Amino acid sequence: MAAHPWDELGPDHFLAQGSLKWTTHKDATPAFVAEMDFPVADVIVEALRDSVTAQRFGYLPEHLAQTLSTTVQGFLEQEFGWQVPESRIYPVADVLVAYDAVLQELVAPGAPIIVPTPAYMPFLSLTPLRGHPVVEVPFLQDGNRWVFDLERIEKEFLAGAGMMILCNPHNPLGLVHTQQELLAVAEVVDRVGGLVFSDEIHSPLVFDGHHIPYASLNDQTKNHSVTAISASKAWNLAGLKCAQLIVTSDDHHQALLPKKFLITHGASTPGVEASIAAYRDGGPWLAEAKNYIRHNSALATTRLQAAFGESSFTPPQGTYIGWLDLRDVNPGHYESVADFLLHEARVALTDGAKCGVAGRGHVRIILATTTPILDGLLTSLIAATSREKKH
Ligand SMILES: Cc1ncc(COP(=O)(O)O)c(C=O)c1O
């Protein structure tokens, strides 16, 4: 790829900006939290500038909540051919708030939650805080494709599990589930009368295949799932606190209505304005960001496969998250390979064990940084591990 202006942004710029990503480990290159190191889209900056000029910092006004619903409705229809009534698009602070609300309002107290693993870390750590045990169901390998363990999922539902988490596109495996894979899940969930929390936060970030909203598949999935989406990953707005809970089932809508004020209360006014701009006018910026990420992903794939073997790393089909198998690397006296890399390579990655037992010996790498920073990170990682290979 020809040089891109984003290539010029270096660590000093990001340190001065002071994000969580760049201030947590001051002397290590960070790639552990799902934040992008790209300048935010101009259309979003303009929307926020308007909001600052008008000092619109009060509670979310009804007209903005309404515009968000209309805009999200248009986005879902245009991008995924999915028609959702505006009244079923609830503004919420973030996807974890949406998850928490679903857990508390739609799942029987104490019922276990099925989490296909490796998984986005908070699903494992937060779920027990609400009194729901987590049942980790590791993905199975079918050739070089990760697939759901449907038998085990069915068994856990029959044993009393209250809900399953579906993360599509999948963090951290980068999977974009096919229609056939989703229908197979739906068949099981329908048979056992289960519930699905479909986390589609990464849905605008698909590189290979196309995103199919789970609830859009058929009447069964519409009625046995709730969906969460947000502009926060694709347009890098996580701190602005705005996501959307999409409640497609009439029964779920009725059950949530008494608590709707509480559930939607945290969506911030500037966050809603930024999200409207992102969904409505953020397409060209997103296309550029995806191109840039695609190039980074190819670079990581070439370098990591050369260093650790072909099966160690597959480019994500969706998300900007890479999943690297380093089970052949001896972490020595460090407690994990991620800890080893933090100290010996000065790169900060997520320890795969935080994504579940199935993730031990793996690391999660955020690819949405500048190409020179990613290249430097890969060089340090490969150099440190080549000194410590088990075989
Ligand atoms: C799959 C997934 N779900 C949820 C979240 C958290 O989203 P939010 O900040 O909206 O709670 C993330 C953040 O990286 C994520 O990757």
Side-chain angles (χ1 to χ4, degrees):
M1 192 167 95
H4 189 285
W6 297 349
D7 295 346
E8 303 298 318
L9 301 171
D12 288 349
H13 169 83
F14 297 117
L15 280 166
Q17 206 176 30
S19 62
L20 170 76
K21 187 179 189 180
W22 282 86
T23 55
T24 300
H25 303 280
K26 286 223 173 57
D27 56 355
T29 306
F32 66 98
V33 60
E35 294 187 342
M36 290 174 165
D37 295 327
F38 308 145
V40 168
D42 288 344
V43 288
I44 296 175
V45 175
E46 275 161 32
L48 288 169
R49 204 171 274 134
D50 278 357
S51 146
V52 170
T53 304
Q55 300 189 5
R56 245 184 326 269
F57 304 145
Y59 293 117
L60 183 62
E62 186 48 39
H63 69 94
L64 280 180
Q66 181 58 44
T67 307
L68 178 71
S69 294
T70 313
T71 309
V72 169
Q73 184 190 47
F75 177 83
L76 295 175
E77 166 125 47
Q78 187 182 313
E79 294 301 310
F80 312 128
W82 185 24
Q83 289 171 344
V84 181
E86 285 177 22
S87 62
R88 301 304 180 80
I89 302 171
Y90 297 20
V92 291
D94 56 46
V95 168
L96 289 178
V97 162
Y99 174 61
D100 195 38
V102 168
L103 207 51
Q104 294 197 71
E105 304 304 327
L106 301 182
V107 183
I113 304 298
I114 299 170
V115 185
T117 55
Y120 171 58
M121 306 75 74
F123 287 134
L124 300 170
S125 56
L126 299 185
T127 305
L129 302 180
R130 292 293 185 202
H132 296 276
V134 165
V135 182
E136 293 189 26
V137 177
F139 279 94
L140 302 174
Q141 197 116 32
D142 180 10
N144 56 8
R145 178 87 183 158
W146 294 102
V147 294
F148 291 106
D149 186 344
L150 295 172
E151 251 177 59
R152 176 85 198 281
I153 289 169
E154 177 158 11
K155 192 172 141 240
E156 297 300 345
F157 268 125
L158 291 173
M163 183 167 75
M164 163 185 171
I165 293 176
L166 180 75
C167 183
N168 186 32
H170 188 268
N171 171 3
L173 293 178
L175 287 172
V176 172
H177 298 298
T178 63
Q179 184 175 35
Q180 205 184 351
E181 287 167 344
L182 294 173
L183 282 171
V185 171
E187 205 188 302
V188 169
V189 177
D190 189 46
R191 191 160 56 234
V192 299
L195 174 66
V196 169
F197 179 78
S198 190
D199 176 349
E200 304 185 10
I201 193 171
H202 292 278
S203 55
L205 289 161
V206 168
F207 304 96
D208 178 11
H210 62 279
H211 176 72
I212 303 169
Y214 180 76
S216 76
L217 282 171
N218 53 40
D219 276 352
Q220 284 76 34
T221 60
K222 172 180 161 224
N223 289 324
H224 73 213
S225 69
V226 260
T227 305
I229 62 161
S230 175
S232 68
K233 291 297 126 183
W235 286 276
N236 209 28
L237 308 172
L240 285 169
K241 293 295 140 197
C242 177
Q244 298 81 47
L245 177 64
I246 304 181
V247 186
T248 42
S249 134
D250 296 341
D251 289 350
H252 296 157
H253 183 56
Q254 288 310 319
L256 292 172
L257 269 182
K259 297 282 177 69
K260 193 173 174 194
F261 173 78
L262 193 59
I263 296 169
T264 60
H265 189 63
S268 91
T269 302
V272 167
E273 293 194 72
S275 301
I276 292 168
Y279 285 125
R280 193 177 53 201
D281 303 317
W285 183 92
L286 181 62
E288 185 178 3
K290 281 166 73 172
N291 242 350
Y292 197 93
I293 294 165
R294 195 179 276 116
H295 171 73
N296 276 0
S297 181
L299 172 75
T301 305
T302 307
R303 297 204 57 192
L304 293 170
Q305 288 188 346
F308 304 109
E310 216 174 293
S311 60
S312 66
F313 188 88
T314 19
Q317 293 183 291
T319 81
Y320 47 67
I321 296 166
W323 183 246
L324 175 63
D325 182 352
L326 290 180
R327 282 174 297 175
D328 276 350
V329 173
N330 181 358
H333 65 277
Y334 295 103
E335 73 182 37
S336 66
V337 73
D339 199 30
F340 163 80
L341 289 170
L342 180 63
H343 293 94
E344 300 297 328
R346 299 265 161 226
V347 300
L349 308 175
T350 311
D351 175 6
K354 293 196 175 137
C355 302
V357 175
R360 282 185 190 149
H362 295 70
V363 289
R364 206 183 72 131
I365 308 177
I366 304 305
L367 302 170
T369 188
T370 73
T371 306
I373 289 174
L374 179 66
D375 201 34
L377 180 154
L378 295 169
T379 301
S380 307
L381 185 162
I382 292 165
T385 48
S386 63
R387 298 194 294 269
E388 293 294 334
K389 287 250 179 72
K390 275 180 191 161
H391 311 292

